[in-house]
Amino acid sequence: MTGTADTCSSSSLAKLAPIQAVLFDVDGTLCDTDPIHHRAFVDLLQEINYNNGEPISEDFFIKNIAGKHNEEIAELFFPDDIPRGIKFMVDKETYFRKLAAEHITAIEGLYKVTKWIEDHGLKRAAVTNAPKPNAELMIAKLGLTDFFQAVILGDDCEHAKPHPEPYQKALEVLQVSKEHTFVFEDSVSGIKAGVAAGMPVIGITTRNPEDMLMQAKPTFLIKNYADPKLWAALEEVDKAMGAGNGAST
């Protein structure tokens, strides 16, 4: 299944020329934060003796939490007491930021891609289900505050991912077309949102299993931004744009 997507990867991006913009998820796409989120959940759930104090597994986290909006997660853990669930998630995000401030690192090859985007004069936005303080912290710690021209939050939309609205809003804010924009995502929820918004999505296998991500129909998957597969596709983009299809800004 992965092979099928990979065969058309280069041409799929080249068809977007002239490329206008690139959109990024934040958690797990710019930086590998899932282990930090997992630890925050484990510690705080044990404090309230959730599941008789048995820690949630990484597999449970990937299948039930990664990429989801906080309201969904609150309902997962506290289906009969949503206000308590919302309060728990606020506490969890505060604890996450404390941990993340010391442990955030960029996904391999990220700055090579951001330079390629800047060199081509493309517009860019971060599109995330993360709460605003989390998004701002991660982007700042990565030194990308000035790189992004917009940060679109699920909280600011009527519907968060996997609904396409956050990505549709990014296109609107940047004043670009879905026919000339592509997306980087690492979760099933995020890939579904980008695909539903009508754009090619490159899935990053930071933590989520390939077979799970492929179910969301990404254009192709990469291990990280240094993956030769990505650069082969971007080389095809360069060829297409060099043939009289310069970047549209």
Side-chain angles (χ1 to χ4, degrees), residues 147-236:
F147 172 76
F148 287 113
Q149 295 153 331
V151 177
I152 308 299
L153 304 169
D155 285 343
D156 291 340
C157 300
E158 188 175 344
H159 305 286
K161 303 176 198 175
H163 195 280
E165 184 184 345
Y167 278 113
Q168 292 167 338
K169 186 172 181 180
L171 294 171
E172 185 182 331
V173 169
L174 294 180
Q175 297 184 310
V176 295
S177 161
K178 66 182 180 182
E179 283 81 17
H180 301 287
T181 302
F182 68 93
V183 176
F184 285 110
E185 268 283 0
D186 77 302
S187 71
V188 169
S189 170
I191 293 171
K192 283 182 176 177
V195 170
M199 291 174 284
V201 180
I202 301 172
I204 304 177
T205 59
T206 311
R207 294 281 167 180
N208 295 314
E210 287 191 19
D211 58 344
M212 195 166 89
L213 293 179
M214 286 305 297
Q215 292 171 19
K217 303 188 181 345
T219 300
F220 61 100
L221 298 178
I222 57 174
K223 182 180 178 183
N224 52 47
Y225 298 104
D227 196 318
K229 201 184 306 174
L230 171 62
W231 290 96
L234 295 182
E235 189 176 335
E236 291 300 318

Side-chain angles (χ1 to χ4, degrees), residues 53-182:
E54 183 70 25
I56 60 168
S57 66
E58 186 175 350
D59 185 57
F60 177 90
F61 174 85
I62 288 171
K63 288 180 179 174
N64 298 284
I65 298 175
K68 301 282 178 64
H69 192 261
N70 278 357
E71 287 182 9
E72 290 180 84
I73 302 169
E75 190 172 352
L76 169 71
F77 287 120
F78 302 94
D80 301 321
D81 192 348
I82 302 302
R84 184 187 179 197
I86 297 295
K87 170 66 167 60
F88 173 84
M89 290 307 299
V90 169
D91 293 342
K92 176 261 161 183
E93 298 302 359
T94 301
Y95 184 42
F96 164 81
R97 288 191 292 275
K98 179 183 174 184
L99 296 173
E102 303 166 8
H103 297 103
I104 284 180
T105 54
I107 298 291
E108 185 181 349
L110 175 64
Y111 299 116
K112 185 180 178 184
V113 165
T114 57
K115 183 178 187 304
W116 184 90
I117 291 167
E118 288 177 322
D119 288 349
H120 287 71
L122 307 181
K123 293 183 179 181
R124 52 267 186 186
V127 183
T128 178
N129 274 355
K132 185 176 182 179
N134 290 25
E136 289 179 343
L137 171 71
M138 289 182 276
I139 290 169
K141 284 287 181 182
L142 293 168
L144 295 175
T145 302
D146 294 333
F147 172 76
F148 287 113
Q149 295 153 331
V151 177
I152 308 299
L153 304 169
D155 285 343
D156 291 340
C157 300
E158 188 175 344
H159 305 286
K161 303 176 198 175
H163 195 280
E165 184 184 345
Y167 278 113
Q168 292 167 338
K169 186 172 181 180
L171 294 171
E172 185 182 331
V173 169
L174 294 180
Q175 297 184 310
V176 295
S177 161
K178 66 182 180 182
E179 283 81 17
H180 301 287
T181 302
F182 68 93

